[in-house]
Amino acid sequence: MAQGISADYLVAETKYGTITAKNITLALSGSLCTRIGAGAVAVKELIGAFIFFNISTHSGSISVSEVSRNGAATSATDVLLASVFGPIDLHDFDLGPNVTVTVDVQRGDREVSVMNAVANKLTATIGGHIMAENLKVGSVVTLSGRYGEMSIKGLSGTFHSAEVSSQLGGVSIAKVDLDKSTPVQLHVKSRVGSAAVDL
C-alpha cells in the first residue's frame, strides 16, 4: 500500500498480491501492475500534472477515483487501464481537457463503469458491459463491446464523434448536450441487439 506520497515517479508491481494507492501527488508518471492471478489495483485521491499513468492487471479489478490536476492543464496526459479478465471502475476523473483515456478488457464478460469523467479522447473496449455516465469529451468517445450492453447517459463537450457499438448486446446514447457550433457524428451500432438514441 502507498499512501500520502509525493513523487515524480510511482512504480509498483506484484505477481499475486494487490496494490492500493491513496492520496498520491504525482509529477511525471506512474505504473501499477499485478501480473498473475486476481490481484486488484485501487487508486484513490490521485493528484498531479503527470503525463502518463498506467494500470494493468490479469484477473483482478481496477478501481480509480478522485483524480484531479494540481497545476496548469496544458500538458497532454495518457491514462491506460488494462485488464485481461477483471472489471474496471473509473469515476470522478478530471485532469483537464487534454487527456487521452484508454480502457481495455481483453477477454471475459465483466463490466466497465465510467462516471463523472473529463477527457479529450475516451476509448473503451471490452467483451462485457460498458456503463458510462456524465462524460465531458473534447474530441472523440468510442465504446466498443462484443457481448454486453453498451450505454452512455449524459454526454457533453466539444466532441465531434461519439460511437457506441456491440456485436451482440444492446447499445444506447441518452442525454446528449451537443455543441451546435461543431458538426457531430453519432454512431450507435449493434449486430444483434437493440439500438437507441435519445437526445
Side-chain angles (χ1 to χ4, degrees):
M1 179 175 181
Q3 183 170 345
I5 293 175
S6 179
D8 289 339
Y9 302 93
L10 175 64
V11 178
E13 182 173 322
T14 178
K15 279 191 174 182
Y16 302 100
T18 62
I19 298 174
T20 302
K22 185 177 181 181
N23 189 17
I24 306 297
T25 301
L26 191 62
L28 294 175
S29 69
S31 178
L32 308 179
C33 176
T34 62
R35 299 178 61 85
I36 301 173
V41 180
V43 178
K44 186 175 182 180
E45 299 174 24
L46 174 63
I47 305 170
F50 53 89
I51 59 175
F52 180 73
F53 201 87
N54 169 70
I55 298 177
S56 61
T57 181
H58 188 266
S59 302
S61 63
I62 295 175
S63 174
V64 180
S65 64
E66 299 180 37
V67 182
S68 60
R69 183 178 290 270
N70 65 346
T74 56
S75 62
T77 304
D78 287 304
V79 176
L80 171 61
L81 309 178
S83 175
V84 178
F85 292 102
I88 295 178
D89 176 41
L90 173 68
H91 67 271
D92 297 331
F93 177 94
D94 187 357
L95 290 173
N98 200 13
V99 179
T100 297
V101 179
T102 303
V103 179
D104 182 16
V105 179
Q106 297 177 21
R107 299 193 293 270
D109 58 356
R110 307 302 290 273
E111 180 174 302
V112 167
S113 175
V114 182
M115 298 183 64
N116 304 327
V118 176
N120 181 44
K121 296 181 180 179
L122 173 63
T123 302
T125 306
I126 185 175
H129 309 281
I130 298 177
M131 308 297 291
E133 292 189 24
N134 299 330
L135 306 182
K136 185 175 183 180
V137 179
S139 61
V140 178
V141 55
T142 304
L143 307 185
S144 176
R146 289 183 291 275
Y147 313 111
E149 305 290 324
M150 309 285 119
S151 74
I152 298 178
K153 184 178 181 182
L155 175 61
S156 64
T158 57
F159 64 93
H160 59 79
S161 176
E163 178 175 323
V164 182
S165 64
S166 177
Q167 294 184 20
L168 301 178
V171 296
S172 66
I173 296 180
K175 295 185 178 180
V176 181
D177 183 7
L178 297 175
D179 182 354
K180 302 299 191 300
S181 64
T182 305
V184 176
Q185 293 183 340
L186 297 178
H187 303 274
V188 182
K189 302 181 293 185
S190 179
R191 182 178 298 177
V192 177
S194 62
V197 177
D198 182 2
L199 302 181

